[in-house]
Amino acid sequence: MNNNKKAFIFDLDGVIVDTAKYHFLAWQKIAQSLNINFTHEDNELLKGVSRVRSLDIILGLGNVQASQEDKDKWLIQKNEDYLSYLVDMDESEILPGVAKILKLLKDKNQGIALGSASKNARPILEKTGILSYFDVIVDGNDVTNAKPDPEVFLKAAQLLNIDPKNSIVFEDSVAGIQAANIGEMVSVGIGEETILHEADYIFKDFTQIETSFIEKLIN
């Protein structure tokens, strides 16, 4: 284990890029086809939740019963719609302040990993031009347990060969913060304090993170 190097592990959606809006549009399209009213407020229920569970929540909102065959069809359609929105992604989709922090960590020779439930993590990082910053990528293709299970983060630390206790996780969901805490990692919440109050540190976004804070985490 490398003890003088820390593992900085980033969630993807809502932390590095905001693909949540594309998930919302794709789910809304499915909901509309079933005459279900699906709002931004309803969309909050899907944060950090698997695709299969998300569909069940939406069907529940409209009291719609469906066969497994129909569900499978809608899940494929949702992903195809979502991917069609990603085609036009570029570096302008990176959330403010993120690139500066990634560059700082790279310059300081720290371990940088992605820990995300997304199965589209690699193409998103490629399209936004930041794939080269990441030493390790652990995404929905590599893990079986969803957050708050810490599997995705523990695997990232393991692949970096860094002790989980020397790992720092950046997350925007409650389940993600809980996963980091269960894994005995430092949790940094990106978003609202009222929602992410279980995190060790909370910032509205990356523009509020000072260089001195990152250096404190490293040392």
Side-chain angles (χ1 to χ4, degrees):
M1 287 278 171
N2 191 333
N3 287 329
N4 51 7
K5 200 176 188 178
K6 297 285 170 69
F8 287 84
I9 307 171
F10 295 79
D11 176 45
L12 180 64
D13 294 348
V15 174
I16 291 176
V17 290
D18 181 18
T19 50
K21 59 190 172 193
Y22 300 132
H23 284 294
F24 173 69
L25 291 170
W27 281 127
Q28 194 178 46
K29 199 169 160 185
I30 297 282
Q32 281 170 346
S33 71
L34 300 169
N35 293 319
I36 299 169
N37 184 33
F38 182 64
T39 65
H40 279 287
E41 285 69 40
D42 297 329
N43 194 47
E44 286 297 308
L45 301 170
L46 310 188
K47 260 202 168 168
V49 173
S50 73
R51 199 185 304 168
V52 173
R53 180 80 192 99
S54 294
L55 178 59
D56 286 338
I57 290 170
I58 291 168
L59 295 175
L61 291 171
N63 291 322
V64 173
Q65 301 293 321
S67 67
Q68 192 55 50
E69 194 182 349
D70 279 339
K71 286 184 183 181
D72 291 343
K73 184 182 73 182
W74 296 329
L75 289 170
I76 291 166
Q77 188 191 328
K78 185 267 167 182
N79 198 47
E80 284 174 354
D81 286 338
Y82 170 69
L83 291 175
S84 72
Y85 294 123
L86 299 186
V87 171
D88 299 325
M89 279 189 98
D90 58 26
E91 64 273 10
S92 68
E93 300 268 356
I94 302 168
L95 290 169
V98 173
K100 182 183 144 194
I101 298 296
L102 288 174
K103 186 174 182 329
L104 175 67
L105 293 172
K106 203 69 170 168
D107 290 346
K108 299 266 181 200
N109 195 30
Q110 296 301 299
I112 305 175
L114 189 87
S116 167
S118 170
K119 291 192 170 170
N120 304 300
R122 276 182 180 80
I124 289 172
L125 293 176
E126 270 177 37
K127 285 184 175 300
T128 52
I130 53 174
L131 183 63
S132 61
Y133 282 108
F134 293 87
D135 305 305
V136 162
I137 293 171
V138 182
D139 65 14
N141 301 300
D142 307 309
V143 292
T144 44
N145 300 308
K147 302 165 188 175
D149 189 292
E151 182 188 11
V152 66
F153 299 144
L154 291 173
K155 198 160 190 178
Q158 183 191 356
L159 289 170
L160 286 168
N161 196 28
I162 293 171
D163 191 320
K165 290 186 172 67
N166 286 329
S167 302
I168 297 99
V169 170
F170 295 89
E171 259 287 354
D172 71 321
S173 73
V174 173
I177 294 296
Q178 289 170 343
N181 292 342
I182 292 165
E184 296 186 14
M185 300 175 169
V186 174
S187 54
V188 182
I190 304 294
E192 300 298 330
E193 200 166 331
T194 47
I195 298 169
L196 304 175
H197 56 86
E198 291 175 55
D200 295 320
Y201 303 96
I202 302 166
F203 296 93
K204 185 101 179 77
D205 58 38
F206 277 88
T207 62
Q208 295 192 338
I209 299 180
E210 300 282 346
T211 305
S212 56
F213 172 73
I214 297 294
E215 286 172 347
K216 185 177 89 173
L217 291 175
I218 293 171
N219 300 320

